Amino acid sequence: MIAFASSLDQCGPLTRTVSDAALLLGILQGKDPCDSTSVGLEGGVRLPDREDLSGLRFGVPAELGHDEYDSGVRAVFEQTLRKIEALGGEIAEVSLPSSEHGISAYYVIAPAEASSNLARYDGVRYGMRAGGDGDLVQMYETTRSEGFGPEVKRRIMLGTYALSSGYYEAYYGQAQKVRTRIAEDFSGAFSGVDFVVTPTAPSVAFGLGEKTDDPLAMYLNDFFTVPMSLAGIPAISIPAGLAEPEGGGPQLPVGFQIAAPAFGEQKLLDAAYALEQGIGFDARPEGLDG
Amino acid sequence: MAELEAVIGLEIHVQLATKTKMFCGCELSFGDEPNVHTCPVCLAHPGVLPVPNEQAIRYALQIGAALNCEIAPRSIFHRKNYFYPDSPKAYQISQYDIPICGAGRLGDVRIHRAHLEEDAAKMIHVGESGRIHGSGASLVDFNRGGTPLVEIVTEPDLRDAAEAAQWARLLRETIRQLGVSDVNMEEGSLRVDANVSVRPAGSEELGTKTELKNMNSFRFLQRGVEAELARQRELVESGGTVEQETLHFDPASGSLTSLRSKEEAHDYRYFPEPDLVPLVPSEEQLREARESLPELPVARIARYQEMGLAYDVALTLATDPRTAGYFENVVEAGEGIEPRVLANWVTGELAAALRQAEVDGGAADSRISPPDLAKLVRLVQEKKISHGSGKKVLAAMVKGGGDPEKIVEREGLAQMSDSGELEAIVEKAMADNPDAVEKIREGNNKAIGAIVGAVMRETKGRADGGEVNRLIQEKL
Ligand SMILES: [Zn+2]
């Protein structure tokens, strides 16, 4: 795994089913001697087999305003909450007041770390080199100008700025404080519920390249998933149904996100499995038989 | 204008003598073929992560204990970002606002902090000067890159160049005796930078400082600081102001050149290293660090001074633990003789005799056992032989060892006991040196040396100097 934003980077399974995710996580997890920040899950990961959700409490953030996501997404989200209740789970309200600042914090921390992580691509030792006939600084500049794409450059610039002397406290320092608050919000919430649930994204998938000119709109797409990454807790997204995009068009999958306390992966997989079975979402693309 | 006072602080980089690098498994080396001790981690390939070297942490804790530093219960690593080919990640993993070792003290100098970091790779600038200016190309040797370093920063407690060099020696000796570094300045395992400023004597405020980089011997440190202090004094006394800058001292020409000014100072964009967890030393690690400390030079000096030794003799012994051990054995065997006298024999006469005989190694490696040396000193103290004869016996002992009493007997060096014989020799010496006698009468006491010398020649050093003096005075 190549570092982008080290304090947020993680490898997670991307699979068709919860069982596959559990199988893969069972392999991925564990203390890695080459990564001093890693820890193993006690007892490893076993295949989930839970059939209902009785005795489990699912918290919906009170701050989840309706403006933040599409009506189609909302319909699927609410329908999934009813499904949870049908499976014996309980829906409760939780408060995550700092989560709304998650995106702002994320887009300071991630570019800051990225600006440092991507600095090694300087043309000195490996990879692309351009402008090697000039002096050192000119070679650095040409290599990096030509080698990185616009979004990467945008993040490097943002991150370099956020870490500069005189701006550090206002940006990176502040973002770290927000991050701590978000983590505290979650640990508060988990004192009353087993899981926190949200839609995975505010809308169904947008078209390729559609938001490239509006990076802010693109960043907002991570609104629901970023707080979990900042808090350092496990979360899973499972397909919960289909919805039309806000502007019309063919129906597309809607994700349902479940987050658990740190090291609650097994519990999370068990609950996601039960819900997945209850929803019975057909992941096969349309028009494909068998 | 009030007299100007020098204010000096030191920053010392100590390469730790671990087996492997700070964050990877590559072997530490010096003088090997370039770029053979490298791996994906210390070459900063994509996708690698640092794993801290436990031994380096242990060594840093030992240094902290030796310098009486407060150890941080939880210190963190930071990234120091800068683009330069000696830094393959384009950042150095260092410590910033919470170093592993906080405030401490060594001798009269307060320690500000000591922190762990990794060394940069070595740049070799192709060209005559070996420096970057005027060089056509630069090569990078990554063997050194990632070597564990402890950077020790003092408070600005030093007041002149000689004191700075003296204290730096004490620090090097302390670290050397911990066994955590080779502390070889020429090879760069100990590197000293000095922060230098001047201010009106008695002022509490600090003047603008300049930083002298990387002086690779204590002599150059002293000369560099002297040169910079002279420059600053002249500047301030002629109404100028010192500009903050980093300087290089060239020992060959004695000149100072500016490496970079304040405006050119880097913005290192420090931030906590997300690839590492905080460093939390366990109780056991802390106890181990404290218990592993040998008796350090500062403590030894204090103990020897209490025994009556002069500071510089105590320092000489404290910087050489094996000779110090030898000295302590001599003290034990020489009960009743002042340790001060024995120390002078060990660090003075014996050291000189070993040098004279071109014997390798120190007192502890010599053929003279501590009881034999004590016995010899006792012979001199009890005036059984003269000091000069004592030296002769010592020279014989250096060559073949042996009992000093037997050597005295064999060589016929016993002090002249017949005072009548000595008296006659003194009278003859005075008669032979009428000029000297005249000068002494006129009050020039130095002239007595000529007569004493003549007596010693005649007696082959067997006469007691004190007795000879007494006789001369009597005859006058
Ligand atoms: Zn390596």
Side-chain angles (χ1 to χ4, degrees):
Chain A
M1 189 166 74
I2 290 175
F4 163 65
S6 311
S7 74
L8 298 155
D9 290 344
Q10 58 210 281
C11 49
L14 188 63
T15 57
R16 284 203 186 279
T17 67
V18 174
S19 295
D20 282 355
L23 274 175
L24 191 47
L25 184 64
I27 305 296
L28 289 174
Q29 72 84 26
K31 168 82 185 158
D32 178 355
C34 293
D35 176 359
S36 62
T37 65
S38 66
V39 278
L41 280 172
E42 225 170 286
V45 180
R46 50 170 179 74
L47 271 181
D49 55 5
R50 194 178 175 117
E51 280 166 7
D52 62 26
L53 298 172
S54 56
L56 296 177
R57 285 165 65 83
F58 293 76
V60 179
E63 295 77 10
L64 207 59
H66 289 170
D67 313 343
E68 271 109 31
Y69 53 121
D70 291 359
S71 55
V73 171
R74 192 198 317 157
V76 174
F77 180 64
E78 274 163 11
Q79 170 197 313
T80 311
L81 295 180
R82 301 292 85 77
K83 179 61 78 181
I84 288 173
E85 287 172 325
L87 289 166
E90 199 184 320
I91 304 296
E93 195 178 82
V94 291
S95 178
L96 299 172
S98 301
S99 285
E100 61 167 318
H101 303 299
I103 284 284
S104 315
Y106 177 87
Y107 277 98
V108 170
I109 293 169
E113 293 179 1
S115 73
S116 173
N117 283 326
L118 300 181
R120 66 187 59 190
Y121 305 106
D122 58 7
V124 173
R125 295 161 313 283
Y126 50 73
M128 184 187 143
R129 175 189 290 179
D133 300 334
D135 67 17
L136 179 68
V137 173
Q138 191 247 316
M139 189 277 285
Y140 279 154
E141 287 175 358
T142 317
T143 300
R144 294 172 61 78
S145 299
E146 290 178 13
F148 292 127
E151 180 58 28
V152 175
K153 281 187 211 163
R154 179 155 43 232
R155 294 192 183 196
I156 290 175
M157 295 296 284
L158 254 170
T160 303
Y161 182 78
L163 291 175
S164 328
S165 132
Y167 299 98
Y168 180 91
E169 264 317 308
Y171 293 104
Y172 194 80
Q174 194 67 13
Q176 288 291 19
K177 282 181 200 147
V178 169
R179 185 175 193 169
T180 305
R181 288 263 181 90
I182 289 174
E184 285 166 1
D185 282 359
F186 273 104
S187 58
F190 287 129
S191 66
V193 297
D194 298 288
F195 304 105
V196 167
V197 293
T198 70
T200 303
S203 67
V204 293
F206 52 84
L208 188 64
E210 217 170 79
K211 295 192 180 175
T212 312
D213 295 335
D214 187 358
L216 217 55
M218 188 166 65
Y219 297 168
L220 279 172
N221 208 56
D222 300 333
F223 186 82
F224 296 120
T225 48
V226 150
M228 288 70 181
S229 293
L230 289 170
I233 56 171
I236 189 170
S237 172
I238 58 169
L242 297 171
E244 270 182 26
E246 203 75 331
Q251 288 198 319
L252 292 167
V254 173
F256 185 82
Q257 176 178 235
I258 316 170
F263 303 111
E265 276 85 350
Q266 186 64 54
K267 214 171 97 175
L268 181 65
L269 287 163
D270 286 339
Y273 175 78
L275 185 58
E276 177 192 48
Q277 302 309 306
I279 292 167
F281 182 81
D282 185 356
R284 284 172 304 177
E286 227 174 297
L288 208 75
D289 293 326
Chain B
M1 187 185 277
E3 205 178 315
L4 290 173
E5 171 187 61
V7 178
I8 304 157
L10 299 178
E11 292 178 18
I12 301 99
H13 284 87
V14 180
Q15 274 186 351
L16 300 179
T18 49
K19 282 206 175 65
T20 57
K21 293 185 179 180
M22 184 64 217
F23 295 114
C24 67
C26 289
E27 207 186 308
L28 294 195
S29 63
F30 181 82
D32 280 0
E33 197 182 315
N35 296 311
V36 292
H37 301 290
T38 62
C39 74
V41 175
C42 57
L43 290 177
H45 284 213
V48 299
L49 292 167
V51 178
N53 182 332
E54 268 191 56
Q55 188 64 26
I57 293 166
R58 243 176 256 135
Y59 283 174
L61 290 172
Q62 275 178 267
I63 290 177
L67 303 181
N68 294 299
C69 291
E70 289 168 22
I71 304 297
R74 183 179 181 280
S75 70
I76 54 177
F77 287 104
H78 267 66
R79 288 189 188 178
K80 180 180 181 179
N81 294 282
Y82 68 97
F83 282 96
Y84 202 59
D86 69 359
S87 169
K89 298 188 293 295
Y91 57 82
Q92 176 195 30
I93 303 178
S94 182
Q95 294 196 294
Y96 185 54
D97 51 0
I98 315 175
I100 182 165
C101 306
R105 170 179 290 279
L106 178 69
D108 296 333
V109 175
R110 289 170 302 152
I111 304 294
H112 177 60
R113 60 183 283 164
H115 71 252
L116 262 171
E117 60 184 29
E118 55 177 342
D119 208 347
K122 194 173 174 187
M123 298 282 288
I124 298 138
H125 304 296
V126 182
E128 265 176 42
S129 69
R131 298 189 55 205
I132 193 162
H133 299 288
S135 161
S138 299
L139 305 170
V140 194
D141 177 4
F142 289 98
N143 284 353
R144 195 184 72 178
T147 298
L149 288 180
V150 165
E151 180 180 342
I152 301 162
V153 183
T154 75
E155 295 292 349
D157 287 352
L158 294 155
R159 291 292 169 268
D160 69 50
E163 196 187 326
Q166 171 92 319
W167 184 84
R169 279 193 186 94
L170 177 65
L171 175 71
R172 179 177 70 167
E173 205 43 48
T174 303
I175 306 244
R176 196 166 65 81
Q177 290 184 25
L178 290 176
V180 301
S181 169
D182 300 336
V183 290
N184 184 326
M185 291 181 87
E186 260 168 49
E187 292 182 1
S189 54
L190 184 85
R191 308 198 285 268
V192 184
D193 302 338
N195 291 313
V196 178
S197 63
V198 293
R199 66 180 176 196
S203 163
E204 289 294 307
E205 262 169 69
L206 292 171
T208 303
K209 69 176 181 193
T210 56
E211 188 179 5
L212 259 76
K213 277 287 190 201
N214 226 337
M215 286 149 295
N216 63 3
S217 78
F218 294 121
R219 210 156 49 85
F220 294 162
L221 166 67
Q222 184 169 343
R223 281 177 53 205
V225 171
E226 269 163 8
E228 175 54 8
L229 280 171
R231 189 190 70 89
Q232 289 192 14
R233 283 203 164 101
E234 198 180 306
L235 195 64
V236 173
E237 275 159 8
S238 61
T241 49
V242 174
E243 298 291 334
Q244 190 180 324
E245 60 186 331
T246 305
L247 299 164
H248 170 83
F249 175 69
D250 178 12
S253 65
S255 66
L256 295 153
T257 45
S258 184
L259 292 176
R260 56 174 181 265
S261 69
K262 189 185 179 186
E263 286 71 35
E264 295 165 298
H266 294 292
D267 179 357
Y268 289 119
R269 291 173 284 121
Y270 278 100
F271 74 99
E273 166 59 290
D275 289 338
L276 294 168
V277 296
L279 210 57
V280 182
S282 65
E283 268 310 313
E284 182 165 355
Q285 278 177 309
L286 293 173
R287 202 185 51 241
E288 235 177 64
R290 282 192 302 268
E291 287 172 359
S292 70
L293 294 187
E295 185 184 31
L296 293 169
V298 166
R300 220 188 257 267
I301 289 168
R303 188 159 61 82
Y304 288 167
Q305 281 185 294
E306 261 170 48
M307 287 162 71
L309 271 59
Y311 178 83
D312 52 342
V313 176
L315 176 70
T316 304
L317 285 170
T319 54
D320 183 355
R322 293 197 65 224
T323 304
Y326 180 89
F327 158 69
E328 292 186 21
N329 289 334
V330 176
V331 170
E332 210 184 305
E335 219 196 309
I337 309 173
E338 275 182 80
R340 181 180 55 81
V341 173
L342 294 168
N344 290 341
W345 275 88
V346 172
T347 62
E349 316 298 9
L350 177 54
L354 290 169
R355 260 198 314 277
Q356 183 79 34
E358 292 177 5
V359 173
D360 286 335
D365 307 307
S366 75
R367 309 183 68 163
I368 304 173
S369 72
D372 279 346
L373 182 66
K375 205 173 188 180
L376 172 65
V377 177
R378 202 183 295 282
L379 289 173
V380 176
Q381 286 294 100
E382 290 173 354
K383 299 196 186 293
K384 291 196 172 128
I385 58 172
S386 69
H387 194 95
S389 301
K391 286 207 255 183
K392 279 185 195 157
V393 175
L394 192 60
M397 289 166 82
V398 162
K399 286 196 185 96
D403 182 342
E405 271 173 0
K406 291 199 173 119
I407 296 172
V408 167
E409 219 169 283
R410 194 175 72 214
E411 310 274 326
L413 291 169
Q415 190 103 295
M416 296 176 67
S417 48
D418 181 350
S419 65
E421 189 190 347
L422 183 58
E423 219 175 315
I425 294 171
V426 169
E427 273 169 7
K428 181 172 182 296
M430 288 174 76
D432 290 348
N433 293 280
D435 291 359
V437 172
E438 191 54 37
K439 277 184 191 154
I440 302 165
R441 286 217 171 93
E442 283 164 9
N444 182 355
N445 272 321
K446 274 184 197 157
I448 205 164
I451 299 166
V452 174
V455 173
M456 288 302 174
R457 268 193 303 281
E458 186 60 32
T459 60
K460 297 197 173 65
R462 284 159 60 235
D464 173 31
E467 180 67 8
V468 173
N469 265 299
R470 199 187 58 76
L471 284 169
I472 296 169
Q473 299 293 352
E474 197 184 279
K475 307 272 167 213
L476 288 167

